Each structure stands twice: as C-alpha cells, then as structure tokens.
Amino acid sequence: MAETSATAAAATPAKPSELRETILFLVKLAIAVLIFRSFILAPFSIPSQSMLPRLYIGDYLFVSKWSYGYSRWSLPYGWPLIPGRVLGSTPDRGDVVVFRGPPDLDGKTHDVIKRVIGLPGDSVQMRGGQLILNGKLIPKQQVGDFVLPLTPNYPAGRECPSQFQDSANGVPVCRYQQFRETLPSGRSYLVLDRGERPDADDTGVYSVPAGSVFVMGDNRDDSGDSRFAAPADAQPGQAEGMGFVPMERLEGKALVGFWSTDGNASWWNPVSWFTATRWNRIGEGF
C-alpha cells in the first residue's frame, strides 16, 4: 500500500515554481504590450516647439498605429521584420503624423511629428510666408496672438528669444503672431509666423514624388521639415530638415493628448505633479 502511494506521488508532476510563473507572466505581458504598442496605440512625447501652437513641449499624446499601415518603423527600433508597407493608406492633408526621420550625419534616426501639407503629385511653395498648394494661395487669416507662459519647458532664450518676450497680468510670457490657415478641403489649423527666416518663408516649388508626403511644422520659422533637405543631402551652410517623407516611414496619426506638463514638477514634491499639469490640454483630439 505504501509502495502504491509512493508510485502515485512520483507520477504526479511537480507544480511550476512561483518564480517560473512570475517570469512567464512578465514575458506574456511584455509581448502583449509590444503588440499593442506596435500595431494599435503608442505614446509620444513632444520634445520641441516646431508644432506650436498645436503642440507644446511637455505634451504627451497617443498615436494610432493602424491609420497608414505598417512597416518596419511600426516596430521598436525599426526591426526589419515587415517588408515594405502592409495595409498602407495615404494621409489626408492636414493630418498630424509621427514618422521616422531621415538618418543624421551619424546614421542615427529618431521619431518626428509634423503636419502633412502635400500629397504625391502636389506642388508646394512658400512665398512671403504664405503657403501655395498646386499653384493656389492657401487662405491665411491673422487671429489673436499666441501667448505662452515662460516655464522650465519653455524658457526664455532659445525657445523664446528676447524680441518675443512679454508680460501678461504680471506673468512673463512669449508672444507670437498667430494665423489660421485653411486647406482646400476646408480643414484649418493655427500656425505661427515669427517673420525671421527668409529661407523658410520664400522657397522654390517642391513637386511631391509618388510614395512620399510633404510635411511642415506649424511653427513655421522654427521647424526643420520638408522645405529643407535631409542632413545627408544638405549643402554646406544650408539648413537641415526632412526632405520628402516616404510613406513607409509613417508610424501613425496623432490621436489625442493624454498628459501635459510645464516642467515645474519635481519628484520630491508630489504636490507639484498636479500644479505643473496643464489640465486643459488633456483629452484634446486632432
């Protein structure tokens, strides 16, 4: 009887250890997050002011990964597991898109966010700071000034040169002229024109090739975009930008903002996590 019990006990497989179960759970969770981030939604943070007034430094938003199809750039680090572009579609003019920028002179690439202005076959030009699309002037109407408080995420100096510094109700601010630009489709958005970059405000005519888009930042005088050649193609002394953006480099469409901070928060002061939050920017869609 004792021998039978011992045999039965030996035949019963040992339960996996808690450590093994935890590791398996974490692996499955990591795979699920990777799939979700690569093919459904991905977070993106705004590191520069090139998309002011729509996007501030310190904004965080979700990007829909399905909007324009999938390519190697849909995956982390651009893993070359997807050939070409799968389920691809063309953006609409005015879409705010995230894409993998061209290699810099060191061969490194990074994600960029800009607004789509020209589609394949379009001609694009800037003349006197006004956009010309397919030979037609795009309406540009001046509206109230754009005013942004000076904070750690937007300090005086590089982000706000002295000629644009001002005060509003005793608070130091940066003040720019603001305009509403309206595309032929009726879609409109706000742009800034600081009037300080002739190479950005007066350009030649760009003919957008097949399979590519022409992108621009809404902060027209502080954006390296399709008006300027990619770093590898720029001539000495020329400004560097993005050149035409191949559609297989598109990663997704800006969907909604989920967080925004002015940079005043500190880890040791939990109260500052709330006071530094720009609550009015959370939930803003595109």
Side-chain angles (χ1 to χ4, degrees):
M1 187 73 171
E3 182 178 352
T4 303
S5 299
T7 302
T12 302
K15 292 184 178 180
S17 67
E18 291 186 5
L19 176 60
R20 182 184 175 188
E21 289 181 341
T22 300
I23 292 174
L24 286 174
F25 170 77
L26 293 176
V27 169
K28 292 177 182 178
L29 179 62
I31 292 173
V33 170
L34 176 64
I35 292 173
F36 186 87
R37 190 184 186 284
S38 298
F39 300 104
I40 302 177
L41 285 179
F44 186 81
S45 61
I46 303 303
S48 75
Q49 61 170 341
S50 71
M51 280 298 291
L52 282 175
R54 180 60 189 87
L55 292 170
Y56 297 4
I57 297 173
D59 282 356
Y60 292 78
L61 55 135
F62 284 122
V63 175
S64 63
K65 300 301 289 287
W66 66 84
S67 296
Y68 311 121
Y70 304 100
S71 71
R72 62 173 292 187
W73 302 111
S74 302
L75 303 174
Y77 311 109
W79 292 336
L81 302 180
I82 302 177
R85 196 159 68 113
V86 179
L87 302 177
S89 62
T90 301
D92 292 327
R93 295 188 192 91
D95 282 0
V96 176
V97 300
V98 172
F99 59 94
R100 184 58 59 98
D104 59 22
L105 296 179
D106 295 324
K108 297 179 180 179
T109 63
H110 59 280
D111 291 342
V112 184
I113 187 166
K114 302 289 182 187
R115 190 180 298 277
V116 174
I117 297 297
L119 301 179
D122 284 347
S123 66
V124 182
Q125 184 181 19
M126 294 294 293
R127 187 185 300 160
Q130 187 162 10
L131 174 63
I132 301 173
L133 183 62
N134 295 323
K136 297 181 179 179
L137 287 172
I138 298 302
K140 181 181 176 182
Q141 178 186 8
Q142 186 167 3
V143 296
D145 288 351
F146 174 70
V147 178
L148 182 65
L150 295 179
T151 66
N153 271 352
Y154 201 81
R158 165 66 181 87
E159 277 73 22
C160 185
S162 59
Q163 66 267 36
F164 300 110
Q165 294 173 27
D166 199 355
S167 177
N169 298 321
V171 176
V173 299
C174 203
R175 184 184 298 274
Y176 297 125
Q177 287 189 326
Q178 185 174 220
F179 300 82
R180 178 168 296 281
E181 200 168 78
T182 304
L183 296 174
S185 64
R187 191 168 185 176
S188 68
Y189 45 85
L190 298 172
V191 298
L192 303 182
D193 188 346
R194 292 159 37 163
E196 56 182 8
R197 285 196 67 180
D199 61 338
D201 288 340
D202 289 284
T203 71
V205 178
Y206 305 92
S207 297
V208 186
S212 295
V213 292
F214 188 99
V215 299
M216 293 175 66
D218 292 345
N219 190 357
R220 293 288 166 78
D221 292 320
D222 195 3
S223 175
D225 47 44
S226 292
R227 291 171 291 177
F228 310 101
D233 300 324
Q235 300 299 314
Q238 285 185 336
E240 297 177 357
M242 300 291 120
F244 299 117
V245 178
M247 279 194 264
E248 61 264 22
R249 285 184 170 264
L250 297 179
E251 298 180 35
K253 178 182 179 181
L255 195 62
V256 64
F258 68 86
W259 196 254
S260 182
T261 176
D262 64 15
N264 276 308
S266 60
W267 287 109
W268 54 268
N269 182 8
V271 174
S272 69
W273 304 349
F274 297 92
T275 57
T277 300
R278 296 183 285 223
W279 296 100
N280 62 318
R281 299 192 58 75
I282 297 176
E284 282 195 348
F286 290 80

